[in-house]
Amino acid sequence: MADETVATDAAGGGSDTAAGGGSDTAAGRPDSVLRPVRAGNGFEEALEQILQLLRLGLVPPGERLPAERELSQHLRISRVTLREVLKVLQGQGMVESRRGRYGGTFVLPRTAAPDDSDELRRRIATVDVEDTLRFREVLEAGAAGLCAEGLPADGGVRLRAALDATRGARLEDYRRQDTLLHLTLAELSGSRTLAAQYASVRATLNELLDCIPLLVRNLEHSQQQHTAVVEAVLDRDADAAREMMREHCGGTAALLRGFLA
């Protein structure tokens, strides 16, 4: 995961420079798009908002994003988290970092959509994305709460094994192990109907997630949330299990909405 680590000067010292002509107007009054993110999913929600900012054209190609200081204040995230977001956007060929007196993070012209983007848009044409995300959250939070209220005899062992499998998963196998962890929670809820419905909605969700990149920063965050959910379940804290699962689902939803913007 070291190759995903963002150097502290990734955006260059000039990203906080006011000079350069485009800085004052480039944001196009982004206040309606850039808003404080919730504490639980800072990276995912910040990525969602900046992707929306770019895809709405509020910062035209060739113009500079607002300074790091301004962006981090709008979003209420740390500069480190912001730089991780900007690195993802650089990796997607959407922005570039320039150093020097008039440096900063500049928006690149949009190229033709890659095959995975075309495929994603083809798939969402047949899916009510918001309905899928809401239903998934209801099922997931319900399952986590039910598990916390009582597990079968081997439930704790199965849950820990599923969590451990996600921790040791290779990047290319992560989504499968992630799916298995969530399915385990659904199965351990004691409701066959809930488990069947979750399997269906997760299959739909994976069809969409398979079309967006796996981001190591997001996976690390997901793992922290997975651990918190499992610990809450094993501690028999139903309220905490439901709340953490809702937060986890919110992070996935924000990430997906960002790439759909």
Side-chain angles (χ1 to χ4, degrees), residues 1 136 157-185 198 202 214-216 218-231 245 248:
M1 294 185 182
R136 182 255 178 134
V157 173
R158 289 177 58 190
L159 202 50
R160 288 186 186 279
L163 178 63
D164 288 343
T166 63
R167 288 171 174 159
R170 300 184 306 275
L171 190 62
E172 61 271 20
D173 193 42
Y174 182 83
R175 188 155 287 148
R176 183 176 72 87
Q177 296 297 344
D178 173 66
T179 299
L180 289 172
L181 171 61
H182 286 269
L183 282 173
T184 299
L185 276 163
Y198 178 69
R202 180 66 190 227
L214 284 167
L215 307 176
V216 171
N218 168 249
L219 300 188
E220 291 172 344
H221 186 209
S222 290
Q223 278 303 105
Q224 294 170 2
Q225 294 175 328
H226 286 159
T227 300
V229 170
V230 171
E231 287 178 351
M245 184 59 85
H248 178 58

Side-chain angles (χ1 to χ4, degrees), residues 50 174 243-244 258:
I50 297 179
Y174 182 83
E243 184 57 33
M244 181 50 64

Side-chain angles (χ1 to χ4, degrees), residues 123-206:
R123 292 182 185 185
I124 65 173
T126 61
V127 175
D128 185 332
V129 176
E130 289 301 323
D131 182 69
T132 299
L133 292 172
R134 289 192 187 101
F135 190 40
R136 182 255 178 134
E137 181 178 323
V138 168
L139 292 174
E140 293 259 33
L146 288 171
C147 286
E149 290 170 3
L151 287 172
D154 65 342
V157 173
R158 289 177 58 190
L159 202 50
R160 288 186 186 279
L163 178 63
D164 288 343
T166 63
R167 288 171 174 159
R170 300 184 306 275
L171 190 62
E172 61 271 20
D173 193 42
Y174 182 83
R175 188 155 287 148
R176 183 176 72 87
Q177 296 297 344
D178 173 66
T179 299
L180 289 172
L181 171 61
H182 286 269
L183 282 173
T184 299
L185 276 163
E187 290 168 1
L188 292 174
S189 72
S191 170
R192 292 181 180 179
T193 301
L194 187 154
Q197 289 293 316
Y198 178 69
S200 176
V201 77
R202 180 66 190 227
T204 300
L205 184 64
N206 279 2

Side-chain angles (χ1 to χ4, degrees), residues 116 119-120 123 175-176 179 203-214 256:
D116 58 349
E119 177 63 15
L120 176 59
R123 292 182 185 185
R175 188 155 287 148
R176 183 176 72 87
T179 299
T204 300
L205 184 64
N206 279 2
E207 284 284 302
L208 304 180
L209 291 174
D210 285 344
C211 294
I212 68 175
L214 284 167
L256 189 56

Side-chain angles (χ1 to χ4, degrees), residues 18-19 173 185 195 235 257 259:
D173 193 42
L185 276 163
D235 288 343
R257 290 187 187 109
F259 281 97

